[in-house]
């Protein structure tokens, strides 16, 4: 074990190299899973085509880039906006996949708003209880 992480006193069982690898592996693997999922829904049990594969890879690249962007920007924001940004990301990601099923835009929007509201509530609670008003980790 490499000791404790930061000022929180929680154990850090991974070294700096593992964290550096995970920093890029999580968005890439997550993007590939999301892209595959979107392509599978879009294909609707039909044959796998070149356009379907291209669609999956484009979605994977956009999803990974969006996740990396949100992760970088979110840490600069205060807790309220931090939670709003993650809620918007989750709502948009869910809404895009839900819309691929052929549902109406209205239903996709309503479902996305419900998901975003849930993500906002959970993330705001987490940031409110673990950060001060400026967004710095709470060191009580």
């Amino acid at each position: 074990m490499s000791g404790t992480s930061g000022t929180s006193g929680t154990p850090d069982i991974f070294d700096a190299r593992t964290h550096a690898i995970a920093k890029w592996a999580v968005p890439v693997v997550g993007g590939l899973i999301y892209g595959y999922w979107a392509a599978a829904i879009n294909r609707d049990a039909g044959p796998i085509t070149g356009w379907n594969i291209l669609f999956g890879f484009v979605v994977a690249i956009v999803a990974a880039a969006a996740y990396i962007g949100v992760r970088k920007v979110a840490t600069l924001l205060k807790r309220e906006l931090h939670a709003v940004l993650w809620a918007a990301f989750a709502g948009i990601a869910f809404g895009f996949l839900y819309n691929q099923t052929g549902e109406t835009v209205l239903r996709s929007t309503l479902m996305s708003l419900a998901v975003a509201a849930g993500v906002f509530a959970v993330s705001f609670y987490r940031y409110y209880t673990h950060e001060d008003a400026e967004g710095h980790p709470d060191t009580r």
Side-chain angles (χ1 to χ4, degrees), residues 19-121:
H19 285 286
I21 291 170
K23 183 178 179 181
W24 294 104
V26 168
V28 170
V29 171
L32 287 172
I33 291 170
Y34 187 83
Y36 171 76
W37 196 348
I41 293 171
N42 187 272
R43 160 171 88 84
D44 195 26
I48 297 174
T49 64
W51 290 113
N52 185 252
I53 293 170
L54 178 64
F55 176 76
F57 278 112
V58 169
V59 169
I61 291 167
V62 171
Y67 176 82
I68 291 168
V70 167
R71 190 178 64 196
K72 284 190 179 291
V73 172
T75 58
L76 304 173
L77 301 174
K78 292 187 178 184
R79 60 186 174 210
E80 294 85 4
L81 293 176
H82 194 166
V84 167
L85 186 61
W86 280 112
F89 176 76
I92 291 167
F94 177 83
F96 178 75
L97 284 181
Y98 195 78
N99 190 262
Q100 294 302 307
T101 64
E103 289 292 334
T104 65
V105 173
L106 178 62
R107 177 139 174 114
S108 296
T109 302
L110 293 175
M111 296 294 287
S112 297
L113 287 173
V115 168
V119 170
F120 174 77

Side-chain angles (χ1 to χ4, degrees), residues 5-30:
S5 66
T7 59
S8 67
T10 58
D12 188 3
I13 59 173
F14 299 113
D15 63 355
R17 180 175 175 265
T18 305
H19 285 286
I21 291 170
K23 183 178 179 181
W24 294 104
V26 168
V28 170
V29 171

